[in-house]
Amino acid sequence: MNDLSQPSANRAVILIVDDELSNVEIIYSALGDDYEISFATSGEEALEVARLTQPDLVLLDVVMPGMQGFEVCQKLKEDPLLSDIPVIFTTGLGDTEDEIRGLSLGAIDYVTKPIQPMILRNRVRNHVELKQLRDHLAVLAVTDALTGLHNRRKLDGLLTNAVRAPASDGTWLSIIMIDVDFFKQFNDAYGHETGDRCLHMVASALSRAVRQASGYTARYGGEEFACVLPGTDLDRAMEVAADIRRHVHQLGIPHVGSQVQPYVTISMGVASAVVEADMQPEMWIRTADEQLYLAKGAGRDQIKGRIFGGDSSL
């Protein structure tokens, strides 16, 4: 029942938190056919299991030895990785003040004991469906519809986290700015529908190359893309850029309007630096853009890159 292995991709995960195993068994009997079930018998264990399993919903007992359910709920809501998980309190208290307190801490519902299986199933189903809808909308909000890559909003967040995370100081960070060469001419020659297919194919090539480097890829706008490479110095970032260029060449997408090759090519600018206090994400973007401009000026289908320091002016 308390399977902490990788959850099934097709079933939502429910975490049951109750110090009475008989209550856990009752809830499991009501929900086990439809959901992946994990359980914890204390508040401390609940937080550990929640971080491990990332459940879709928590059924949380109010009264437990040691850490009470209210405190567990509060800690869940204070954790950025767990705060979006809906919490339903299970309680036999029947006290309005306790219900108000739980809801004020961020719980979404109460289920009273003794548990009524049909009522529990319906409430859990409704809240899980709402959670999954919110998750889907959240993904759409940071995904480029054409390519399936991250969009610029998501890229800005990833870059900001890479610069400002507490563990980032003293680590390398690189970004690659990428532009499809003579893309206006491509659209003029083949039409916008074919142009969209071209961008989708280039995005797939970028994703394959950058995934091997444990980086992130986004569509920055139009025919421009960007890659964030945490923990990557300039030498390695230039290798990744060369790999990206090779992948795009291998696509062999015909381009009669190109002035450099008879197929689609890309130009790239690479910026690398050791993260220091007070450095701003814009420094990487600006430096990579400068290098991209140089790559275009050198004839396109080129890679230019440099290391910059924390004293670079914005």
Side-chain angles (χ1 to χ4, degrees), residues 32-236:
D33 289 340
D34 300 312
Y35 304 99
E36 296 287 333
I37 303 295
S38 293
F39 75 91
T41 56
S42 69
E44 293 81 2
E45 184 185 8
L47 296 173
E48 292 178 7
V49 175
R51 293 186 186 103
L52 180 63
T53 63
Q54 294 288 305
D56 295 280
L57 184 141
V58 176
L59 289 166
L60 179 59
D61 188 22
V62 171
V63 179
M64 295 184 292
M67 187 184 296
Q68 297 287 295
F70 293 132
E71 186 178 355
V72 175
C73 182
Q74 183 173 354
K75 289 185 178 297
L76 288 171
K77 297 305 174 183
E78 290 173 349
D79 189 325
L81 296 177
L82 306 175
S83 60
D84 290 338
I85 300 172
V87 175
I88 297 177
F89 276 118
T90 59
T91 179
L93 294 176
D95 189 320
T96 301
E97 290 186 4
D98 283 311
E99 291 190 20
I100 294 173
R101 181 183 177 189
L103 295 172
S104 70
L105 290 171
I108 56 169
D109 208 346
Y110 262 86
V111 174
T112 57
K113 299 175 182 177
I115 297 295
Q116 301 297 317
M118 185 61 70
I119 293 174
L120 179 65
R121 280 194 292 268
N122 287 334
R123 290 191 176 181
V124 167
R125 184 190 68 244
N126 290 341
H127 289 304
V128 166
E129 288 177 353
L130 286 172
K131 167 70 161 49
Q132 292 174 334
L133 176 60
R134 289 196 302 271
D135 289 347
H136 179 64
L137 292 175
V139 170
L140 290 179
V142 294
T143 302
D144 176 63
L146 175 63
T147 64
L149 299 180
H150 297 314
N151 61 16
R152 182 168 177 172
R153 176 184 175 188
K154 179 66 172 180
L155 177 87
D156 289 343
L158 291 169
L159 183 56
T160 298
N161 289 340
V163 173
R164 297 178 179 168
S168 64
D169 283 1
T171 64
W172 280 96
L173 173 65
S174 296
I175 186 168
I176 306 173
M177 298 298 292
I178 303 156
D179 193 78
V180 180
D181 295 325
F182 302 107
F183 190 68
K184 180 182 183 302
Q185 290 84 344
F186 186 94
N187 275 336
D188 290 343
Y190 300 101
H192 289 281
E193 184 175 341
T194 303
D196 286 348
R197 287 200 295 271
C198 171
L199 291 178
H200 190 275
M201 293 173 69
V202 169
S204 296
L206 298 180
S207 184
R208 288 195 298 273
V210 174
R211 190 182 304 120
Q212 296 174 356
S214 300
Y216 309 99
T217 307
R219 186 182 179 195
Y220 200 70
E223 69 274 20
E224 195 168 17
F225 299 87
C227 304
V228 179
L229 302 170
T232 304
D233 63 14
L234 180 62
D235 288 343
R236 175 59 182 140

Side-chain angles (χ1 to χ4, degrees), residues 261-275:
Q261 297 287 357
Y263 49 81
V264 167
T265 60
I266 55 176
S267 298
M268 286 176 278
V270 183
S272 302
V274 174
V275 180

